[in-house]
Amino acid sequence: METFIVKSAETDARLVFSQRVGEDYSVEFQSQQLQVVHSVCGYTDPQGVARLFQALAAYSKPWKGQLHYQSLEQEFSISASCSSLGTVSLAVAFSRIGATQEWSATATIQIEFGQLSVLASNAKRFFGAVGR
């Protein structure tokens, strides 16, 4: 699988994972208001995003609290929460710390609870085997 795409259920926003080479990959947030592209080092946890989506898909009903993934170098993170009605919010954060030009960006994408099993399957195909 060349890309793993998470589409918003409410807007044109989407989160695109692509260009996976070994433990590294590119992640892009796209919407009419914001476009961010960032390279992520998956070192020590190359299947972390897939594992997050597998954990989300394991829920049979909306949950309380947040589930979270953050890359080792903290250049990318994603947190998931769910409303009692089944709207899942994915809050993503991108940053470049320690560089000459530091920057950060955050955005939230809304998806439906019913999408989680398909997204987990697609994440597993993109990132490879989960649970090594």
Side-chain angles (χ1 to χ4, degrees), residues 3-27:
T3 60
F4 165 46
I5 300 172
V6 180
K7 295 180 182 179
S8 171
E10 298 180 355
T11 68
D12 69 327
R14 51 194 240 154
L15 192 60
V16 180
F17 297 85
S18 63
Q19 300 175 10
R20 181 160 186 254
V21 178
E23 300 169 335
D24 301 332
Y25 56 91
S26 177
V27 62

PDB file of all heavy atoms in Angstrom, residues 3-27:
ATOM      1  N   THR A   3      -0.155   4.557   0.150  1.00  0.00           N
ATOM      2  CA  THR A   3      -0.615   5.626   1.035  1.00  0.00           C
ATOM      3  C   THR A   3      -1.649   5.074   2.006  1.00  0.00           C
ATOM      4  O   THR A   3      -2.310   4.074   1.736  1.00  0.00           O
ATOM      5  CB  THR A   3      -1.261   6.795   0.263  1.00  0.00           C
ATOM      6  OG1 THR A   3      -2.373   6.314  -0.471  1.00  0.00           O
ATOM      7  CG2 THR A   3      -0.272   7.476  -0.665  1.00  0.00           C
ATOM      8  N   PHE A   4      -1.772   5.756   3.120  1.00  0.00           N
ATOM      9  CA  PHE A   4      -2.816   5.491   4.103  1.00  0.00           C
ATOM     10  C   PHE A   4      -3.490   6.836   4.336  1.00  0.00           C
ATOM     11  O   PHE A   4      -2.841   7.794   4.750  1.00  0.00           O
ATOM     12  CB  PHE A   4      -2.210   4.922   5.387  1.00  0.00           C
ATOM     13  CG  PHE A   4      -3.135   4.956   6.578  1.00  0.00           C
ATOM     14  CD1 PHE A   4      -4.448   4.537   6.483  1.00  0.00           C
ATOM     15  CD2 PHE A   4      -2.667   5.395   7.803  1.00  0.00           C
ATOM     16  CE1 PHE A   4      -5.296   4.566   7.587  1.00  0.00           C
ATOM     17  CE2 PHE A   4      -3.493   5.424   8.911  1.00  0.00           C
ATOM     18  CZ  PHE A   4      -4.803   5.007   8.811  1.00  0.00           C
ATOM     19  N   ILE A   5      -4.784   6.924   4.007  1.00  0.00           N
ATOM     20  CA  ILE A   5      -5.495   8.202   4.045  1.00  0.00           C
ATOM     21  C   ILE A   5      -6.644   8.139   5.051  1.00  0.00           C
ATOM     22  O   ILE A   5      -7.431   7.191   5.050  1.00  0.00           O
ATOM     23  CB  ILE A   5      -6.044   8.567   2.646  1.00  0.00           C
ATOM     24  CG1 ILE A   5      -4.888   8.669   1.645  1.00  0.00           C
ATOM     25  CG2 ILE A   5      -6.837   9.866   2.701  1.00  0.00           C
ATOM     26  CD1 ILE A   5      -5.319   8.832   0.202  1.00  0.00           C
ATOM     27  N   VAL A   6      -6.713   9.173   5.874  1.00  0.00           N
ATOM     28  CA  VAL A   6      -7.816   9.340   6.830  1.00  0.00           C
ATOM     29  C   VAL A   6      -8.587  10.572   6.379  1.00  0.00           C
ATOM     30  O   VAL A   6      -8.059  11.682   6.435  1.00  0.00           O
ATOM     31  CB  VAL A   6      -7.290   9.529   8.268  1.00  0.00           C
ATOM     32  CG1 VAL A   6      -8.452   9.693   9.235  1.00  0.00           C
ATOM     33  CG2 VAL A   6      -6.381   8.377   8.681  1.00  0.00           C
ATOM     34  N   LYS A   7      -9.830  10.379   5.920  1.00  0.00           N
ATOM     35  CA  LYS A   7     -10.653  11.484   5.426  1.00  0.00           C
ATOM     36  C   LYS A   7     -11.623  11.939   6.500  1.00  0.00           C
ATOM     37  O   LYS A   7     -12.237  11.122   7.186  1.00  0.00           O
ATOM     38  CB  LYS A   7     -11.437  11.059   4.187  1.00  0.00           C
ATOM     39  CG  LYS A   7     -10.569  10.742   2.995  1.00  0.00           C
ATOM     40  CD  LYS A   7     -11.424  10.326   1.808  1.00  0.00           C
ATOM     41  CE  LYS A   7     -10.552   9.959   0.625  1.00  0.00           C
ATOM     42  NZ  LYS A   7     -11.354   9.529  -0.521  1.00  0.00           N
ATOM     43  N   SER A   8     -11.789  13.243   6.608  1.00  0.00           N
ATOM     44  CA  SER A   8     -12.753  13.807   7.540  1.00  0.00           C
ATOM     45  C   SER A   8     -14.167  13.422   7.130  1.00  0.00           C
ATOM     46  O   SER A   8     -14.489  13.380   5.940  1.00  0.00           O
ATOM     47  CB  SER A   8     -12.633  15.329   7.574  1.00  0.00           C
ATOM     48  OG  SER A   8     -13.700  15.901   8.305  1.00  0.00           O
ATOM     49  N   ALA A   9     -15.005  13.196   8.129  1.00  0.00           N
ATOM     50  CA  ALA A   9     -16.421  12.928   7.874  1.00  0.00           C
ATOM     51  C   ALA A   9     -17.211  14.221   7.739  1.00  0.00           C
ATOM     52  O   ALA A   9     -18.370  14.200   7.339  1.00  0.00           O
ATOM     53  CB  ALA A   9     -17.004  12.090   9.006  1.00  0.00           C
ATOM     54  N   GLU A  10     -16.576  15.365   8.050  1.00  0.00           N
ATOM     55  CA  GLU A  10     -17.310  16.627   8.086  1.00  0.00           C
ATOM     56  C   GLU A  10     -16.798  17.711   7.144  1.00  0.00           C
ATOM     57  O   GLU A  10     -17.545  18.613   6.797  1.00  0.00           O
ATOM     58  CB  GLU A  10     -17.298  17.170   9.523  1.00  0.00           C
ATOM     59  CG  GLU A  10     -17.983  16.242  10.505  1.00  0.00           C
ATOM     60  CD  GLU A  10     -17.975  16.760  11.927  1.00  0.00           C
ATOM     61  OE1 GLU A  10     -17.347  17.807  12.180  1.00  0.00           O
ATOM     62  OE2 GLU A  10     -18.602  16.118  12.774  1.00  0.00           O
ATOM     63  N   THR A  11     -15.531  17.645   6.759  1.00  0.00           N
ATOM     64  CA  THR A  11     -14.947  18.695   5.913  1.00  0.00           C
ATOM     65  C   THR A  11     -14.108  18.061   4.811  1.00  0.00           C
ATOM     66  O   THR A  11     -14.079  16.844   4.663  1.00  0.00           O
ATOM     67  CB  THR A  11     -14.046  19.642   6.749  1.00  0.00           C
ATOM     68  OG1 THR A  11     -12.885  18.913   7.173  1.00  0.00           O
ATOM     69  CG2 THR A  11     -14.786  20.215   7.949  1.00  0.00           C
ATOM     70  N   ASP A  12     -13.369  18.893   4.107  1.00  0.00           N
ATOM     71  CA  ASP A  12     -12.470  18.406   3.064  1.00  0.00           C
ATOM     72  C   ASP A  12     -11.121  17.949   3.630  1.00  0.00           C
ATOM     73  O   ASP A  12     -10.255  17.495   2.892  1.00  0.00           O
ATOM     74  CB  ASP A  12     -12.238  19.491   2.016  1.00  0.00           C
ATOM     75  CG  ASP A  12     -11.424  20.658   2.546  1.00  0.00           C
ATOM     76  OD1 ASP A  12     -11.542  20.981   3.758  1.00  0.00           O
ATOM     77  OD2 ASP A  12     -10.656  21.258   1.774  1.00  0.00           O
ATOM     78  N   ALA A  13     -10.932  18.049   4.925  1.00  0.00           N
ATOM     79  CA  ALA A  13      -9.641  17.723   5.539  1.00  0.00           C
ATOM     80  C   ALA A  13      -9.314  16.243   5.402  1.00  0.00           C
ATOM     81  O   ALA A  13     -10.195  15.384   5.390  1.00  0.00           O
ATOM     82  CB  ALA A  13      -9.643  18.124   7.012  1.00  0.00           C
ATOM     83  N   ARG A  14      -8.023  15.976   5.304  1.00  0.00           N
ATOM     84  CA  ARG A  14      -7.547  14.598   5.262  1.00  0.00           C
ATOM     85  C   ARG A  14      -6.125  14.519   5.767  1.00  0.00           C
ATOM     86  O   ARG A  14      -5.360  15.484   5.671  1.00  0.00           O
ATOM     87  CB  ARG A  14      -7.691  13.984   3.885  1.00  0.00           C
ATOM     88  CG  ARG A  14      -7.123  14.776   2.776  1.00  0.00           C
ATOM     89  CD  ARG A  14      -7.579  14.291   1.430  1.00  0.00           C
ATOM     90  NE  ARG A  14      -6.409  13.900   0.658  1.00  0.00           N
ATOM     91  CZ  ARG A  14      -6.408  13.031  -0.312  1.00  0.00           C
ATOM     92  NH1 ARG A  14      -7.522  12.429  -0.642  1.00  0.00           N
ATOM     93  NH2 ARG A  14      -5.314  12.740  -0.952  1.00  0.00           N
ATOM     94  N   LEU A  15      -5.794  13.374   6.292  1.00  0.00           N
ATOM     95  CA  LEU A  15      -4.465  13.082   6.804  1.00  0.00           C
ATOM     96  C   LEU A  15      -3.902  11.988   5.912  1.00  0.00           C
ATOM     97  O   LEU A  15      -4.537  10.939   5.742  1.00  0.00           O
ATOM     98  CB  LEU A  15      -4.579  12.608   8.252  1.00  0.00           C
ATOM     99  CG  LEU A  15      -3.335  12.505   9.092  1.00  0.00           C
ATOM    100  CD1 LEU A  15      -2.637  13.857   9.216  1.00  0.00           C
ATOM    101  CD2 LEU A  15      -3.692  11.980  10.481  1.00  0.00           C
ATOM    102  N   VAL A  16      -2.760  12.243   5.297  1.00  0.00           N
ATOM    103  CA  VAL A  16      -2.196  11.309   4.321  1.00  0.00           C
ATOM    104  C   VAL A  16      -0.818  10.857   4.790  1.00  0.00           C
ATOM    105  O   VAL A  16       0.089  11.669   4.983  1.00  0.00           O
ATOM    106  CB  VAL A  16      -2.070  11.973   2.931  1.00  0.00           C
ATOM    107  CG1 VAL A  16      -1.472  10.990   1.929  1.00  0.00           C
ATOM    108  CG2 VAL A  16      -3.415  12.505   2.461  1.00  0.00           C
ATOM    109  N   PHE A  17      -0.667   9.552   4.954  1.00  0.00           N
ATOM    110  CA  PHE A  17       0.615   8.942   5.269  1.00  0.00           C
ATOM    111  C   PHE A  17       1.147   8.349   3.968  1.00  0.00           C
ATOM    112  O   PHE A  17       0.423   7.625   3.280  1.00  0.00           O
ATOM    113  CB  PHE A  17       0.450   7.833   6.312  1.00  0.00           C
ATOM    114  CG  PHE A  17      -0.052   8.331   7.638  1.00  0.00           C
ATOM    115  CD1 PHE A  17      -1.412   8.486   7.878  1.00  0.00           C
ATOM    116  CD2 PHE A  17       0.840   8.633   8.663  1.00  0.00           C
ATOM    117  CE1 PHE A  17      -1.884   8.941   9.100  1.00  0.00           C
ATOM    118  CE2 PHE A  17       0.377   9.087   9.894  1.00  0.00           C
ATOM    119  CZ  PHE A  17      -0.978   9.240  10.112  1.00  0.00           C
ATOM    120  N   SER A  18       2.399   8.647   3.630  1.00  0.00           N
ATOM    121  CA  SER A  18       2.944   8.174   2.354  1.00  0.00           C
ATOM    122  C   SER A  18       4.463   8.040   2.454  1.00  0.00           C
ATOM    123  O   SER A  18       5.053   8.304   3.499  1.00  0.00           O
ATOM    124  CB  SER A  18       2.572   9.142   1.224  1.00  0.00           C
ATOM    125  OG  SER A  18       3.144  10.415   1.457  1.00  0.00           O
ATOM    126  N   GLN A  19       5.072   7.655   1.351  1.00  0.00           N
ATOM    127  CA  GLN A  19       6.526   7.587   1.193  1.00  0.00           C
ATOM    128  C   GLN A  19       7.205   6.824   2.329  1.00  0.00           C
ATOM    129  O   GLN A  19       8.220   7.252   2.857  1.00  0.00           O
ATOM    130  CB  GLN A  19       7.121   8.988   1.047  1.00  0.00           C
ATOM    131  CG  GLN A  19       6.584   9.735  -0.134  1.00  0.00           C
ATOM    132  CD  GLN A  19       7.081  11.160  -0.210  1.00  0.00           C
ATOM    133  OE1 GLN A  19       7.974  11.565   0.520  1.00  0.00           O
ATOM    134  NE2 GLN A  19       6.498  11.939  -1.104  1.00  0.00           N
ATOM    135  N   ARG A  20       6.655   5.675   2.674  1.00  0.00           N
ATOM    136  CA  ARG A  20       7.261   4.866   3.730  1.00  0.00           C
ATOM    137  C   ARG A  20       8.501   4.174   3.190  1.00  0.00           C
ATOM    138  O   ARG A  20       8.459   3.483   2.180  1.00  0.00           O
ATOM    139  CB  ARG A  20       6.276   3.827   4.252  1.00  0.00           C
ATOM    140  CG  ARG A  20       6.911   3.005   5.363  1.00  0.00           C
ATOM    141  CD  ARG A  20       5.875   2.312   6.219  1.00  0.00           C
ATOM    142  NE  ARG A  20       6.547   1.673   7.322  1.00  0.00           N
ATOM    143  CZ  ARG A  20       6.744   0.366   7.413  1.00  0.00           C
ATOM    144  NH1 ARG A  20       6.286  -0.437   6.473  1.00  0.00           N
ATOM    145  NH2 ARG A  20       7.375  -0.141   8.451  1.00  0.00           N
ATOM    146  N   VAL A  21       9.615   4.401   3.891  1.00  0.00           N
ATOM    147  CA  VAL A  21      10.875   3.741   3.573  1.00  0.00           C
ATOM    148  C   VAL A  21      11.441   3.240   4.898  1.00  0.00           C
ATOM    149  O   VAL A  21      11.878   4.036   5.737  1.00  0.00           O
ATOM    150  CB  VAL A  21      11.878   4.704   2.895  1.00  0.00           C
ATOM    151  CG1 VAL A  21      13.191   3.998   2.620  1.00  0.00           C
ATOM    152  CG2 VAL A  21      11.289   5.295   1.626  1.00  0.00           C
ATOM    153  N   GLY A  22      11.383   1.939   5.103  1.00  0.00           N
ATOM    154  CA  GLY A  22      11.831   1.376   6.372  1.00  0.00           C
ATOM    155  C   GLY A  22      10.982   1.913   7.512  1.00  0.00           C
ATOM    156  O   GLY A  22       9.772   1.771   7.525  1.00  0.00           O
ATOM    157  N   GLU A  23      11.636   2.565   8.463  1.00  0.00           N
ATOM    158  CA  GLU A  23      10.943   3.105   9.637  1.00  0.00           C
ATOM    159  C   GLU A  23      10.447   4.532   9.427  1.00  0.00           C
ATOM    160  O   GLU A  23       9.753   5.072  10.280  1.00  0.00           O
ATOM    161  CB  GLU A  23      11.889   3.077  10.837  1.00  0.00           C
ATOM    162  CG  GLU A  23      12.355   1.678  11.180  1.00  0.00           C
ATOM    163  CD  GLU A  23      13.488   1.659  12.173  1.00  0.00           C
ATOM    164  OE1 GLU A  23      14.235   2.655  12.272  1.00  0.00           O
ATOM    165  OE2 GLU A  23      13.629   0.645  12.863  1.00  0.00           O
ATOM    166  N   ASP A  24      10.818   5.160   8.333  1.00  0.00           N
ATOM    167  CA  ASP A  24      10.473   6.562   8.084  1.00  0.00           C
ATOM    168  C   ASP A  24       9.302   6.684   7.119  1.00  0.00           C
ATOM    169  O   ASP A  24       9.090   5.826   6.265  1.00  0.00           O
ATOM    170  CB  ASP A  24      11.681   7.309   7.515  1.00  0.00           C
ATOM    171  CG  ASP A  24      12.882   7.269   8.448  1.00  0.00           C
ATOM    172  OD1 ASP A  24      12.674   7.162   9.679  1.00  0.00           O
ATOM    173  OD2 ASP A  24      14.015   7.350   7.953  1.00  0.00           O
ATOM    174  N   TYR A  25       8.562   7.771   7.277  1.00  0.00           N
ATOM    175  CA  TYR A  25       7.421   8.021   6.400  1.00  0.00           C
ATOM    176  C   TYR A  25       7.117   9.513   6.386  1.00  0.00           C
ATOM    177  O   TYR A  25       7.625  10.286   7.199  1.00  0.00           O
ATOM    178  CB  TYR A  25       6.188   7.221   6.843  1.00  0.00           C
ATOM    179  CG  TYR A  25       5.764   7.454   8.276  1.00  0.00           C
ATOM    180  CD1 TYR A  25       4.837   8.433   8.617  1.00  0.00           C
ATOM    181  CD2 TYR A  25       6.307   6.694   9.298  1.00  0.00           C
ATOM    182  CE1 TYR A  25       4.450   8.646   9.930  1.00  0.00           C
ATOM    183  CE2 TYR A  25       5.925   6.894  10.632  1.00  0.00           C
ATOM    184  CZ  TYR A  25       5.009   7.866  10.932  1.00  0.00           C
ATOM    185  OH  TYR A  25       4.634   8.073  12.230  1.00  0.00           O
ATOM    186  N   SER A  26       6.272   9.902   5.461  1.00  0.00           N
ATOM    187  CA  SER A  26       5.818  11.280   5.360  1.00  0.00           C
ATOM    188  C   SER A  26       4.360  11.318   5.800  1.00  0.00           C
ATOM    189  O   SER A  26       3.592  10.400   5.534  1.00  0.00           O
ATOM    190  CB  SER A  26       5.933  11.756   3.903  1.00  0.00           C
ATOM    191  OG  SER A  26       5.438  13.067   3.772  1.00  0.00           O
ATOM    192  N   VAL A  27       3.991  12.386   6.502  1.00  0.00           N
ATOM    193  CA  VAL A  27       2.600  12.573   6.893  1.00  0.00           C
ATOM    194  C   VAL A  27       2.198  13.993   6.507  1.00  0.00           C
ATOM    195  O   VAL A  27       2.976  14.934   6.648  1.00  0.00           O
ATOM    196  CB  VAL A  27       2.367  12.286   8.395  1.00  0.00           C
ATOM    197  CG1 VAL A  27       3.145  13.222   9.270  1.00  0.00           C
ATOM    198  CG2 VAL A  27       0.896  12.335   8.748  1.00  0.00           C
TER     199      VAL A  27
END
